[in-house]
Amino acid sequence: MNTVTEELNNIFAIPPAEELPLDVLGELQSICRLHSISAQELSYKWESYTMKMGTEQTNLDLTTVRAFKKDLQEIVEREARSKSHMRSADRRGAFATPRNATKGGDVFGMLDGITPVQRSSSGSNKRKATFETPSVTKSNKANGMSSPSDGRSLPVRTDPAGQQSVTFAERRNPGQIIETLNGHLDAHEPPIAPHPEPRVKLTANTDLKKFRYRPMAMHLSEASEVLDDRIDEFQALVQDYHKLEDSMFGNAAAQATEEIIAVGRIASDTPEGKLNSASIVLEMSRRSGAGLRVPLKVESISSEFFPGQIVAVRGINASGNSFAVSEVLEIPLMGAAASTRSNIEMFNESLGAMEEESSIAPTQAMNIIIASGPYTADDNLAFEPLHALCQKAEETCADMLILIGPLFDTEHPLLASGDFDLPDDPSIEPDRATLADAFRIMVGKPLQALAQAVPSITIVCVPSTRELMSKHVSWPQENIQGRKNGLPKQVKMVSNPVVISINEILVGISAQDILYELRREEVVVGKPKENNLLARLPKHLIQQRHFFPLYPPVDRSLLPKTGTEEGIATGTPLDVSYLKLGEWLEARPDMLILPSALPQFAKVVEGVLIVNPGPLSKRKGAGTYAQLTVYPRKLIDEERGLDMVGHNLFERARVDVIRV
């Protein structure tokens, strides 16, 4: 099997399958040959294509791959026509006599702005209008904004790529379970009536006040100290874990004939371009290596690297020009989260699970629903997926609803352009209306209705750097003020990122799409230790003990295009001086919630339950959410005499990824 075939199978094969069907594989190989691209580049184009389509019709089968191939060919042809048109225009412009499009105008346009221009409704203006980009259709005010089923969605239509976009009410397979983790556990069964009191206790393990820093006030000296301190901290961890002497550590940039261990940050030798095995350099702290960088030779090892990763490498710099790596030392993992036996028993009792009971009913399990933005499609502001999610939470009497931003998305075409009608609501004065009023009606109303129907529910809202209602423009990000925006008291606004405790369970949440950015920047040298990409990427976060270990972030022009006029994503506005707010300080979380543009999934990695619920709404169709059924932590006889007990969430939680 040749290298290209292996790479295509590794990247595109969906577990448990290890190889692609031969017809699909043949088409992918044909695309690689036709466009002279690698399997990695092809995967990026496929991800962009699936996000552009935004429907369920992008499963990797022969029909979809051929449509993908046709789409790539059309893009190449459009670019070729555009370049040809520009070249011919340049040739005409170099020798042609300047002409004015309006009667009576001066030849060189010198009187523009002095003499009035009479606009014509025919002729060249009509020709020009033919080639203009169509503007986004304005929402119809007559339809109102009070109900998810009031017909505000646009009818079925065909987009420029030939893909049909259907209304939310006509979406395919609502409620279908796409993926299940721990399917041997029964799904949650809703009670006859909502619980009279909340069954979950929510505690913030993050100091939210520290996130109230002033953004865009970063000092270079502070940033460099933060980056240096992180290297020195990891060196102390490695030394203690491997029982190493101080004399074994050294400066990798200094020429020496003896083998040493160096700790530093992975970086690229050029600011432009993707990291590869030939461009890897190790950046050391000022204390351990005078802040120098040295190229790494990694041909003899197998490992994964990405910019910003802190590594400990063993090797030798005999020439003084590069450091030959013979081994990458293991970084110790943080200890697993644990609670006192009395706390475990108290939380079990709140769920109605008594110690003497031998079995636990599905009604006693916690019901947690997780969703990530956007919460409405690009062609409307009806927020129908959010209404449907709240309806699901009401029907199942959810104990907790976790909403991860963006709720009001800066990348939504209508919000970005300001070209939308206000909702019909008597509390809004059209002449004095603000975005806060629109947010209160569009987002606040369904949450208010849910809180009234299920008073015992706890709603957690995590902001995003794409959040229109947030004044904090950088990551790490301060929480939004909920009460001022018309949200009920059941809504708890937290920071981005955040570590919270749901009863005894330690949960880490970050709205920033670190998985997609790692996917783009990671370079695999030799044979990967973990072939499954969706299991390998979260492991980097666990090993690095950070919600965003990538540095610098991916250029936003290289991220998936948005539906706005510019089409450029917000990206990660990283405030390096406050990167420590993204670190894990106490223990390894029981669960990590990491929303991403990558395919939705639920996996167990290093004893941590990783959940990517996927977006609740895609640009042109409905998305997905995750529902967790968490059973009480039953103590066995051997644990009853222990002071601290592990949570073992990955053994007692069922995760269903469901179409909204």
Side-chain angles (χ1 to χ4, degrees):
M1 185 181 294
N2 59 43
T3 305
V4 175
T5 303
E6 289 179 355
E7 290 180 356
L8 289 172
N9 283 324
N10 287 337
I11 294 172
F12 288 95
I14 301 174
E18 296 182 355
E19 294 184 356
L20 294 167
L22 293 178
D23 52 356
V24 173
L25 180 62
E27 288 292 342
L28 294 177
Q29 290 173 328
S30 172
I31 296 173
C32 289
R33 289 193 302 269
L34 184 64
H35 297 280
S36 299
I37 58 177
S38 66
Q40 194 80 21
E41 291 178 75
L42 180 63
S43 70
Y44 297 147
K45 294 182 182 296
W46 169 253
E47 287 168 4
S48 300
Y49 176 74
T50 57
M51 281 182 276
K52 180 175 73 172
M53 293 298 99
T55 68
E56 292 78 17
Q57 300 181 16
T58 50
N59 294 324
L60 194 63
D61 54 32
L62 184 59
T63 303
T64 310
V65 171
R66 285 177 175 169
F68 170 51
K69 184 178 181 180
K70 181 180 178 183
D71 183 74
L72 286 179
Q73 188 62 32
E74 289 175 351
I75 291 173
V76 171
E77 290 174 358
R78 282 198 300 269
E79 290 176 351
R81 286 196 298 269
S82 175
K83 290 178 181 177
S84 174
H85 176 73
M86 290 173 65
R87 285 195 297 267
S88 61
D90 289 342
R91 286 196 298 269
R92 288 196 302 270
F95 303 103
T97 301
R99 302 186 181 208
N100 192 12
T102 57
K103 286 186 178 182
D106 63 308
V107 173
F108 292 97
M110 296 172 64
L111 301 181
D112 285 354
I114 300 176
T115 58
V117 177
Q118 295 183 358
R119 302 189 181 275
S120 172
S121 59
S122 61
S124 61
N125 284 345
K126 280 190 177 180
R127 281 173 71 93
K128 183 178 180 182
T130 307
F131 297 99
E132 287 179 349
T133 303
S135 60
V136 181
T137 306
K138 201 170 185 180
S139 299
N140 188 359
K141 187 172 182 178
N143 290 334
M145 304 294 281
S146 58
S147 168
S149 58
D150 55 6
R152 279 171 292 152
S153 298
L154 298 182
V156 177
R157 66 182 186 185
T158 303
D159 64 18
Q163 184 72 35
Q164 277 199 340
S165 175
V166 298
T167 59
F168 182 79
E170 297 174 342
R171 66 194 184 280
R172 290 185 177 184
N173 307 319
Q176 179 188 13
I177 297 177
I178 298 175
E179 183 175 344
T180 298
L181 180 70
N182 288 336
H184 62 281
L185 299 174
D186 292 331
H188 175 266
E189 293 180 6
I192 299 174
H195 301 286
E197 297 291 335
R199 300 198 304 161
V200 299
K201 179 182 178 182
L202 180 68
T203 307
N205 292 65
T206 300
D207 189 352
L208 301 182
K209 292 181 181 178
K210 290 184 177 180
F211 287 79
R212 297 173 186 170
Y213 64 88
R214 186 174 64 173
M216 301 180 69
M218 183 172 61
H219 299 285
L220 289 178
S221 58
E222 294 177 2
S224 64
E225 287 174 7
V226 169
L227 295 174
D228 273 3
D229 289 347
R230 185 162 166 79
I231 295 175
D232 295 337
E233 289 168 6
F234 269 73
Q235 180 167 325
L237 286 172
V238 170
Q239 183 174 0
D240 182 64
Y241 180 73
H242 292 280
K243 310 298 181 188
L244 302 171
E245 300 292 334
D246 290 340
S247 59
M248 301 183 70
F249 292 88
N251 182 357
Q255 184 176 4
T257 56
E258 294 183 356
E259 193 175 59
I260 64 165
I261 295 172
V263 180
R265 177 179 292 102
I266 295 297
S268 177
D269 61 0
T270 57
E272 298 86 15
K274 185 179 180 296
L275 185 73
N276 58 64
S277 59
S279 64
I280 299 175
V281 297
L282 185 72
E283 178 183 274
M284 291 162 289
S285 69
R286 283 171 288 189
R287 187 176 74 87
S288 63
L292 296 174
R293 286 184 170 188
V294 59
L296 294 184
K297 288 188 175 181
V298 293
E299 295 86 358
S300 61
I301 63 169
S302 293
S303 189
E304 302 92 27
F305 299 101
F306 61 88
Q309 179 185 16
I310 308 297
V311 296
V313 291
R314 189 193 303 271
I316 188 170
N317 186 351
S319 64
N321 298 322
S322 61
F323 189 79
V325 180
S326 59
E327 181 188 2
V328 178
L329 277 67
E330 181 184 358
I331 302 291
L333 302 180
M334 297 186 78
S339 298
T340 61
R341 182 171 51 84
S342 58
N343 276 346
I344 295 287
E345 292 172 347
M346 178 185 68
F347 291 131
N348 286 350
E349 187 176 344
S350 69
L351 296 174
M354 298 301 154
E355 233 180 282
E356 57 273 9
E357 293 179 355
S358 58
S359 61
I360 302 173
T363 53
Q364 295 173 329
M366 268 194 295
N367 179 21
I368 302 174
I369 295 177
I370 305 169
S372 172
Y375 291 88
T376 188
D378 274 7
D379 56 10
N380 69 79
L381 289 173
F383 285 87
E384 294 166 301
L386 178 61
H387 283 268
L389 184 74
C390 291
Q391 183 67 32
K392 176 69 175 179
E394 179 183 342
E395 291 172 356
T396 59
C397 295
D399 293 296
M400 177 169 284
L401 174 63
I402 300 177
L403 299 177
I404 305 170
L407 289 166
F408 237 35
D409 191 1
T410 57
E411 294 181 4
H412 191 286
L414 298 179
L415 292 175
S417 66
D419 188 18
F420 65 93
D421 291 323
L422 291 169
D424 289 333
D425 191 274
S427 65
I428 294 182
E429 298 181 33
D431 295 338
R432 298 183 178 180
T434 64
L435 279 173
D437 294 319
F439 180 87
R440 176 171 52 83
I441 302 302
M442 297 177 186
V443 177
K445 270 197 169 182
L447 297 182
Q448 288 277 10
L450 173 61
Q452 291 175 3
V454 188
S456 61
I457 195 172
T458 301
I459 304 172
V460 177
C461 285
V462 183
S464 162
T465 51
R466 290 162 50 184
E467 199 67 64
L468 201 58
M469 303 307 297
S470 175
K471 63 181 180 180
H472 206 100
V473 297
S474 58
W475 190 98
Q477 184 181 15
E478 182 187 3
N479 56 310
I480 305 173
Q481 299 300 316
R483 293 293 180 90
K484 292 182 180 179
N485 293 312
L487 300 179
K489 64 179 183 179
Q490 287 90 338
V491 174
K492 312 298 179 186
M493 309 298 289
V494 296
S495 60
N496 171 32
V498 70
V499 178
I500 58 175
S501 289
I502 305 173
N503 286 355
E504 78 280 3
I505 304 167
L506 195 65
V507 181
I509 310 172
S510 177
Q512 212 60 32
D513 190 354
I514 179 61
L515 297 183
Y516 183 87
E517 295 197 32
L518 278 177
R519 169 75 170 84
R520 184 175 181 86
E521 293 297 320
E522 182 195 41
V523 55
V524 178
V525 177
K527 186 177 180 181
K529 298 175 183 177
E530 171 60 63
N531 288 322
N532 190 313
L533 177 73
L534 299 181
R536 189 171 72 239
L537 296 179
K539 191 173 181 179
H540 291 315
L541 276 68
I542 299 171
Q543 290 176 335
Q544 297 290 301
R545 308 176 174 208
H546 203 283
F547 283 107
F548 201 92
L550 182 69
Y551 180 79
V554 175
D555 188 319
R556 64 196 192 109
S557 64
L558 302 176
L559 296 174
K561 301 298 182 184
T562 68
T564 60
E565 186 175 348
E566 276 187 348
I568 300 177
T570 304
T572 306
L574 205 62
D575 198 312
V576 182
S577 301
Y578 293 89
L579 271 182
K580 201 166 185 65
L581 294 176
E583 291 182 355
W584 305 347
L585 301 178
E586 296 180 356
R588 194 163 73 238
D590 297 306
M591 176 167 64
L592 278 178
I593 304 175
L594 303 172
S596 176
L598 297 180
Q600 60 279 343
F601 67 91
K603 292 186 181 298
V604 177
V605 180
E606 298 290 354
V608 180
L609 178 60
I610 312 293
V611 178
N612 170 21
L616 190 69
S617 176
K618 299 180 183 179
R619 288 178 56 186
K620 299 180 185 299
T624 56
Y625 65 93
Q627 183 172 12
L628 272 70
T629 303
V630 183
Y631 283 81
R633 172 69 164 91
K634 295 296 288 184
L635 300 175
I636 59 177
D637 294 337
E638 291 79 4
E639 295 173 330
R640 298 191 186 281
L642 300 177
D643 294 331
M644 302 295 290
V645 179
H647 299 158
N648 297 349
L649 176 67
F650 60 90
E651 295 178 347
R652 56 190 178 97
R654 173 189 170 116
V655 184
D656 293 310
V657 180
I658 307 171
R659 295 189 194 276
V660 66

